[in-house]
Amino acid sequence: MSILKSKYRNSIIIFISFFLIRLIFSIVIGFLNNYQLEPDSIDLIRFSDKAISGNFNFDYGRFIASPGFPIFAAFHKMVFGRFWNYMLVFSQIILSSLSGIYLYGIANLIFNDRKVAIISTIIYGLFPLTFWYVNTFCQETLFQSLFIISIYHLIATCKGQNLKSLFLSSLFFSFAYLTKSHILIFSLFVPLILYFNLKSLKTVICYSIIFASICLCFSLPYGLYNKRKSDIYVLSSNGAGFQFYLGNTNAGYVSLVDVPLKSSNDYRKIKDITTTAGFFNGNQNKFDSILKLPQSTKQSLFFKEGCKWLRQNPQKAIKMKIYDIGLFLMPGVSFRHYEFKQWILALILSFPIYLLAYIGIIISLKRNVNKHFYMLSIFLSMLLFSTVFYVQNRFRTITIEPFFIIYASYSINLFFLKYVKKIKLLININFFSSIF
């Protein structure tokens, strides 16, 4: 009973602490400053208005958007009326606060060490990039919270072969991929995670089928709707072709490798690469004409254009992929796309966490690759997304950095706290030696 009380007490402390930090942050940057940090916010709220009237055609033009956030926002509009924007911010703060409780749980499940869990929670609670979008009307906060909860239950499944945990993991993963579809790559690793942690191959197969079936079932409403409306079945978003086009044409090369001077007109065009990609690829009219095509055909054309460029520009392609990997591994943001003050601040904040996380991950995998294979899977999923498609560190931040924080905390506990103990012990020994 005392253990149970302690668990609830810890959860309440974490929730209240996280809530206050995120609330203060939202007030400081402007509680109703909901559209400045993410350009897609305006469209996502426009889609929520359509959803209220029963229209779920969330077509950006370049691709069909994932339905999670527009429906989430529509719910707030229907329930809270003219106060919907206030309540939507509060809901995102609440979800972000709940994710802190689950991150604490993940650290405990993986390392079975309360100190690692506490350090992880403190860093996650205070690290600005984990709550940067908490009052912005975009997918990031919702996705991050859902994904963390899903991973908690997946690890719990591996620990206890619990069907309830498996169901909850697949349920929250479904909500996560319906919010941001890039995480669907991670689903390919789920059977391997189960294989490395469950003893029975029969159980692994059974659990994998259950996980996949639940996720596919949740895709049916939106998928069938778009099949009827646009003649294309969409799991969540169908933007893979467009993302591949951005990351495997001259537009991607110029935006990552051969970046124009910040004072130039070309640089200003790069800031809006989703609409100016055709300019950098030599034919804006052709790009615009593809955008006007039906969704059932445009994504395959984008994919073909990307493959064509790769065949014609092998040296550029290799160089760009090296940059993709480098930018993915590098903490913070790209110095070529941000002002110096923003770049150096993000680097100072992120560098220690990334360095310690990489050390912690390597040590953990060496000690027990099975237990930590979930972390390797998240890392490889995001690496594949960043190199095969288009490197976007905003996606990396919301997906992988909470777990980097856990392994950075493990490194802190492993090295620094042990050294502190040794120093204290040495001081005590010297002190008593001087007395006697």
Side-chain angles (χ1 to χ4, degrees):
M1 184 64 71
S2 60
I3 295 174
L4 191 64
K5 285 182 179 180
S6 176
K7 181 179 177 182
Y8 282 119
R9 186 177 67 249
N10 292 340
S11 296
I12 291 169
I13 291 170
I14 292 169
F15 181 85
I16 293 174
S17 302
F18 273 55
F19 186 90
L20 291 175
I21 291 167
R22 282 145 179 76
L23 179 61
I24 292 169
F25 171 79
S26 298
I27 293 171
V28 168
I29 69 167
F31 194 83
L32 295 181
N33 179 21
N34 311 126
Y35 300 91
Q36 296 300 314
L37 294 180
E38 178 50 52
D40 290 342
S41 295
I42 294 172
D43 283 325
L44 290 170
I45 295 302
R46 178 171 59 85
F47 291 153
S48 72
D49 291 329
K50 293 171 70 175
I52 293 172
S53 62
N55 182 355
F56 299 96
N57 182 21
F58 303 151
D59 192 339
Y60 271 123
R62 55 191 187 271
F63 59 83
I64 294 172
S66 298
F69 184 82
I71 292 174
F72 184 64
F75 169 81
H76 285 76
K77 288 187 174 186
M78 290 188 294
V79 173
F80 301 107
R82 61 192 181 94
F83 298 107
W84 70 269
N85 48 349
Y86 293 92
M87 297 310 299
L88 183 54
V89 174
F90 275 117
S91 292
Q92 293 191 159
I93 293 174
I94 289 169
L95 280 170
S96 184
S97 303
L98 285 172
S99 72
I101 298 172
Y102 281 93
L103 192 92
Y104 176 88
I106 291 171
N108 251 334
L109 282 175
I110 291 297
F111 292 106
N112 194 27
D113 190 322
R114 190 166 177 267
K115 292 193 294 293
V116 175
I118 291 172
I119 296 168
S120 301
T121 310
I122 291 171
I123 296 174
Y124 182 62
L126 296 172
F127 189 57
L129 296 182
T130 63
F131 56 83
W132 192 252
Y133 296 99
V134 76
N135 74 318
T136 299
F137 293 158
C138 60
Q139 303 157 323
E140 275 64 22
T141 297
L142 178 61
F143 165 79
Q144 185 179 72
S145 303
L146 293 169
F147 185 57
I148 288 172
I149 297 171
S150 174
I151 293 297
Y152 170 82
H153 287 295
L154 181 61
I155 294 169
T157 302
C158 294
K159 285 252 177 194
Q161 296 190 31
N162 188 328
L163 275 172
K164 179 184 176 182
S165 295
L166 178 70
F167 173 79
L168 289 172
S169 178
S170 57
L171 176 69
F172 282 100
F173 183 79
S174 298
F175 293 152
Y177 87 73
L178 286 170
T179 303
K180 286 194 82 68
S181 60
H182 74 282
I183 202 58
L184 280 166
I185 298 173
F186 176 76
S187 64
L188 302 175
F189 292 92
V190 170
L192 286 174
I193 295 170
L194 296 173
Y195 174 77
F196 280 117
N197 287 279
L198 302 180
K199 295 178 181 179
S200 167
L201 181 60
K202 182 180 178 181
T203 303
V204 170
I205 294 171
C206 180
Y207 278 25
S208 299
I209 292 172
I210 292 172
F211 189 95
S213 299
I214 291 171
C215 291
L216 286 172
C217 283
F218 272 88
S219 77
L220 287 173
Y222 196 56
L224 293 174
Y225 179 89
N226 280 288
K227 182 64 178 175
R228 183 165 60 88
K229 289 289 184 180
S230 305
D231 195 29
I232 180 172
Y233 190 93
V234 179
L235 285 171
S236 172
S237 168
N238 71 329
F242 180 75
Q243 292 290 338
F244 186 82
Y245 174 82
L246 282 184
N248 295 279
T249 56
N250 197 60
Y253 186 84
V254 172
S255 66
L256 297 177
V257 182
D258 190 21
V259 181
L261 293 173
K262 290 183 179 179
S263 58
S264 67
N265 186 51
D266 281 5
Y267 182 78
R268 285 189 287 273
K269 286 181 179 293
I270 278 178
K271 300 293 282 185
D272 192 23
I273 195 69
T274 56
T275 58
T276 61
F279 169 81
F280 294 104
N281 290 333
N283 194 334
Q284 183 68 37
N285 289 333
K286 183 178 180 180
F287 175 73
D288 292 340
S289 66
I290 294 175
L291 287 177
K292 293 175 182 177
L293 295 172
Q295 286 290 351
S296 56
T297 58
K298 73 175 69 176
Q299 295 303 321
S300 61
L301 285 176
F302 279 133
F303 185 77
K304 288 176 182 177
E305 287 292 314
C307 290
K308 179 182 176 182
W309 186 87
L310 290 173
R311 289 194 300 269
Q312 294 176 350
N313 301 273
Q315 291 184 331
K316 279 188 173 183
I318 292 170
K319 190 173 183 180
M320 185 161 62
K321 296 309 169 187
I322 293 171
Y323 270 75
D324 284 337
I325 295 170
L327 288 169
F328 171 75
L329 295 174
M330 183 183 72
V333 296
S334 172
F335 69 93
R336 292 183 168 186
H337 297 90
Y338 289 84
E339 297 299 324
F340 177 79
K341 289 182 180 179
Q342 294 173 314
W343 171 75
I344 196 67
L345 180 61
L347 183 66
I348 291 169
L349 289 171
S350 302
F351 180 78
I353 289 175
Y354 272 64
L355 178 62
L356 291 168
Y358 290 141
I359 293 170
I361 290 169
I362 291 169
I363 292 172
S364 299
L365 288 172
K366 283 184 176 180
R367 290 183 174 180
N368 191 332
V369 69
N370 292 3
K371 184 196 291 189
H372 301 280
F373 190 76
Y374 86 96
M375 182 66 243
L376 182 60
S377 299
I378 297 172
F379 180 86
L380 291 175
S381 298
M382 291 310 301
L383 181 61
L384 283 170
F385 176 78
S386 299
T387 53
V388 174
F389 297 99
Y390 186 60
V391 60
Q392 297 184 65
N393 285 350
R394 172 168 55 92
F395 286 31
R396 178 197 66 184
T397 294
I398 61 171
T399 307
I400 202 170
E401 284 186 8
F403 303 97
F404 274 0
I405 286 171
I406 292 174
Y407 285 87
S409 301
Y410 172 66
S411 293
I412 291 170
N413 184 64
L414 196 63
F415 297 117
F416 298 118
L417 294 187
K418 286 188 177 181
Y419 285 136
V420 169
K421 285 182 180 179
K422 287 181 180 179
I423 291 169
K424 284 184 177 179
L425 182 62
L426 186 63
I427 291 171
N428 289 335
I429 290 172
N430 290 336
F431 175 73
F432 285 113
S433 296
S434 64
I435 293 176
F436 295 102

